Amino acid sequence: GIGRDVVVALCTTLGMRVAGCARRADKLNALRKELAGTAGAGEFFPVQCDLTSDASIAAMFAAVDAHWPGEGIAVLVNNAGIAHQDSVLEGTTRAWRDMFEVN
């Protein structure tokens, strides 16, 4: 998706070090392997994170700080987004809450 393409562009075109987060570790690790084989690419640091969980978000920032101690974050791309296709009458309140929390 868009987030993956942004990571690829930042790493390969600009040679940046990028910490990327997503719920699915398998997708993050596949992207890490793909970028590791790209000449001139910056570093990609994958972190599994659930953006509906405050604890998971805090753990993600702690992991980034531990990986690159004291360097801070120069650029933040917030590309999270989810959508449920249910109608208002058929959807659940949990699904609506998830969309509002992430989006």
Side-chain angles (χ1 to χ4, degrees), residues 3 6-12 15-21 31 35 42-47 64 67-68 75 77:
V6 169
V7 167
V8 170
L10 292 174
C11 283
T12 61
M16 294 180 74
R17 295 180 307 169
V18 177
C21 72
L31 181 54
L35 289 170
E43 179 185 357
F44 176 61
F45 177 61
V47 183
V64 171
H67 188 74
W68 294 306
V75 177
V77 177

Side-chain angles (χ1 to χ4, degrees), residues 58-96:
M60 183 262 306
F61 280 109
V64 171
D65 188 47
H67 188 74
W68 294 306
E71 295 189 31
I73 295 175
V75 177
L76 175 65
V77 177
N78 185 4
N79 184 56
I82 60 171
H84 297 286
Q85 301 303 316
D86 297 328
S87 73
V88 173
L89 298 176
E90 295 169 349
T92 65
T93 55
R94 181 71 235 167
W96 283 98

